[in-house]
């Protein structure tokens, strides 16, 4: 909830802080330049210039790293890398070998901010410049082995991270597109089914209405028969539409579990959910009632409880009245939308829905949170005891 997903920009101040902290961890390798400024015996003026140079380098480096996963403006990135490389060169030549570590960050920034076709040249280029300066700066040759390998590995590792981010963004966009296409296909299927259901009925109603209109002056008894037929056809059409809509609206446990995870995560609640439920032998009406129970319980957790944690369990139990499928939703919030002895309209309607399929509902509110238990027959039994 509080982290930043791969390929996603920070959306609030807290997420920005988290990303800055994760990036700043790697700045620990700047301990050598900092130690040189503190204990290197430089003049005060040199120390001030060194601190300003180091601060400017870090700020510019962080800005480049934060470009990871964004659109490419190659000329701007190359210019920024050139500035970082020039600053590193000046600081290393002026202050000593400890400042050669800055080129490791130049290589990493190249891999993070440049596309691979350019990074495969800039990373070796930064490493070559590091090696050349190490041969010039007094005592720098002893730093080559310690810095050259991290520069190459870190730089090319960041190119892999960049490609991972780009792939994740592409997959996220593709998933959204697939979901949209699936929704459109479902709308088209519903439109086709409604057309098949209503096309014949409406055509028949239109035809009989015309016949009744022509028969009214001379044959009122025959016109009345046509009107009766129209009523019968319209009633049957209404029944067909209701059955079709009910079939589309009937929830499924697997879909409701996925929706519950999304809703709880979006509300900042740590969710513990079961895997794919075993629905073998469970009547469709029982599964639908249990899915409605899960939806109502999660809605109460999100809207009313103020909980930080929610545990959902789905178990198959054997009772004296037969096998039951039991859903338990427990949170650590304030105890639900209402008091335990005065259930709200949602829980009352849910209890009625469960009773229609032979199930039952139990709720328990306490200082530790709120618990809802819904049970439905798992084998088509007509009645479910409350003491499962």
């Amino acid at each position: 909830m509080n982290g930043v997903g791969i390929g996603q920009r920070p959306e609030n101040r807290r997420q920005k802080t988290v990303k800055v902290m994760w990036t700043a961890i790697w700045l620990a390798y700047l301990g050598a330049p900092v130690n040189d400024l503190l204990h290197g015996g430089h003049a005060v003026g040199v120390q001030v210039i060194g601190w300003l140079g180091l601060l400017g380098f870090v700020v510019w480096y962080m800005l480049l790293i934060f470009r990871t996963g964004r659109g490419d403006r190659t000329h701007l990135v190359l210019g920024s890398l050139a500035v970082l490389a020039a600053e590193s060169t000046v600081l290393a030549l002026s202050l000593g070998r400890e400042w050669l570590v800055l080129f490791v960050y130049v290589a990493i920034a190249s891999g993070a901010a440049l596309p691979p076709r350019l990074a495969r040249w800039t990373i070796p280029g930064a490493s070559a410049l590091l090696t050349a300066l190490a041969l010039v700066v007094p005592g720098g040759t002893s730093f080559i082995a310690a810095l050259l390998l991290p520069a190459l590995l870190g730089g090319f590792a960041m190119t892999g991270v960049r490609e991972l981010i780009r792939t994740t963004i592409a997959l996220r966009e593709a998933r959204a597109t697939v979901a949209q296409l699936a929704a459109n296909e479902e709308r088209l299927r519903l439109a086709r089914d409604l057309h098949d259901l209503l096309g014949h009925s409406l055509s028949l109603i239109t035809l009989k209405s015309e016949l009744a209109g022509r028969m009214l002056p001379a044959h009122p008894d025959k016109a009345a028969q046509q009107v009766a037929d129209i009523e019968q056809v319209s009633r049957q059409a209404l029944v067909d539409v209701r059955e079709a809509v009910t079939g589309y609206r009937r929830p499924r446990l697997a879909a409701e579990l996925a929706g519950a995870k999304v809703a709880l995560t979006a509300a900042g609640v740590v969710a513990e959910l079961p895997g794919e439920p075993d629905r073998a032998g469970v009547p469709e009406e029982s599964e639908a009632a249990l899915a409605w129970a899960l939806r109502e319980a999660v809605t109460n957790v999100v809207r009313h409880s103020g909980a930080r944690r929610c545990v959902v369990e789905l178990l198959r139990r054997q009772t004296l009245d037969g096998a039951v499928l039991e859903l338990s939703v427990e949170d650590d919030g304030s105890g639900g939308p209402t008091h335990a002895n005065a259930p709200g309209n949602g829980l009352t309607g849910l209890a009625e829905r469960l009773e229609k399929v032979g199930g039952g509902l139990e709720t328990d509110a306490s200082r530790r949170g709120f618990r809802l238990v819904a049970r439905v027959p798992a084998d088509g039994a007509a009645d479910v005891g409350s003491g499962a």
Side-chain angles (χ1 to χ4, degrees):
M1 163 87 180
N2 296 326
V4 183
I6 294 179
Q8 292 180 318
R9 298 184 185 183
E11 298 178 355
N12 51 52
R13 182 176 299 177
R14 187 166 189 172
Q15 290 184 352
K16 290 180 180 179
T17 302
V18 170
K19 187 169 183 178
V20 169
M21 290 178 61
W22 276 107
T23 306
I25 289 176
W26 303 103
L27 297 180
Y29 291 99
L30 293 177
V34 171
N35 183 70
D36 179 63
L37 289 174
L38 294 175
H39 308 291
H42 300 291
V44 176
V46 175
Q47 289 182 348
V48 172
I49 294 174
W51 283 114
L52 292 176
L54 184 60
L55 178 62
F57 181 92
V58 170
V59 171
W60 211 300
Y61 167 79
M62 294 289 284
L63 291 176
L64 276 178
I65 291 297
F66 264 72
R67 283 188 53 83
T68 302
R70 303 187 182 183
D72 293 329
R73 286 191 291 176
T74 306
H75 63 282
L76 179 61
V77 177
L78 287 174
S80 299
L81 289 172
V83 171
L84 286 180
E87 184 178 1
S88 302
T89 300
V90 172
L91 291 173
L93 291 174
S94 304
L95 297 176
R97 60 182 185 177
E98 289 80 4
W99 294 79
L100 292 172
V101 71
L102 298 183
F103 286 98
V104 176
Y105 292 92
V106 175
I108 291 175
S110 299
L114 283 176
R117 58 184 176 83
L118 294 177
R120 64 181 180 179
W121 298 106
T122 56
I123 295 172
S127 302
L129 185 56
L130 164 64
T131 303
L133 288 175
L135 296 175
V136 175
V137 175
T141 53
S142 60
F143 278 45
I144 293 179
L147 298 178
L148 186 58
L149 190 60
L152 290 171
L153 292 181
F156 284 112
M158 287 306 297
T159 61
V161 172
R162 177 187 172 89
E163 287 306 298
L164 174 62
I165 292 175
R166 292 172 65 90
T167 302
T168 302
I169 294 174
L171 288 175
R172 188 178 292 115
E173 294 174 350
R175 185 180 301 170
T177 302
V178 170
Q180 183 64 36
L181 292 175
N184 292 339
E185 180 63 26
E186 188 68 12
R187 293 190 191 100
L188 290 175
R189 188 163 71 91
L190 177 58
R192 289 193 299 267
D193 290 351
L194 289 179
H195 177 271
D196 295 339
L197 287 172
L198 297 179
H200 174 72
S201 299
L202 292 178
S203 298
L204 188 57
I205 289 173
T206 302
L207 177 61
K208 286 186 173 292
S209 298
E210 294 174 351
L211 289 174
R214 289 197 294 265
M215 293 176 179
L216 268 178
H219 305 283
D221 53 339
K222 294 182 179 180
Q225 180 61 42
Q226 296 298 329
V227 172
D229 291 343
I230 291 173
E231 180 183 1
Q232 182 180 359
V233 172
S234 62
R235 288 183 182 276
Q236 183 59 44
L238 182 59
V239 170
D240 292 340
V241 170
R242 284 177 175 172
E243 289 180 352
V245 173
T246 301
Y248 277 101
R249 293 181 58 193
R250 179 174 293 167
R252 291 291 184 263
L253 272 174
E256 289 301 322
L257 284 170
K261 182 175 181 61
V262 173
L264 292 171
T265 303
V269 181
V270 178
E272 296 183 17
L273 301 172
E276 181 70 15
D278 179 14
R279 303 188 302 271
V282 180
E284 290 186 1
E285 293 78 9
S286 295
E287 180 188 357
L290 211 59
W292 281 115
L294 176 60
R295 181 182 297 183
E296 176 67 18
V298 171
T299 300
N300 288 339
V301 172
V302 171
R303 291 184 178 178
H304 308 293
S305 70
R308 293 179 296 179
R309 183 171 176 267
C310 179
V311 179
V312 178
E313 294 181 343
L314 190 61
L315 303 173
R316 186 184 292 266
R317 298 184 184 276
Q318 188 66 36
T319 69
L320 296 177
D321 298 310
V324 298
L325 193 60
E326 180 182 283
L327 171 72
S328 171
V329 181
E330 185 174 5
D331 64 75
D332 60 354
S334 59
T338 55
H339 295 90
N341 58 356
N345 294 330
L347 294 181
T348 301
L350 180 58
E352 294 173 354
R353 186 188 297 273
L354 290 168
E355 289 175 359
K356 287 182 180 179
V357 298
L361 177 69
E362 293 180 6
T363 58
D364 181 23
S366 65
R367 293 183 179 180
R368 295 179 296 177
F370 185 82
R371 185 169 186 260
L372 179 147
V373 179
R375 302 183 183 92
V376 296
D379 56 1
D383 186 29
V384 176
S386 61

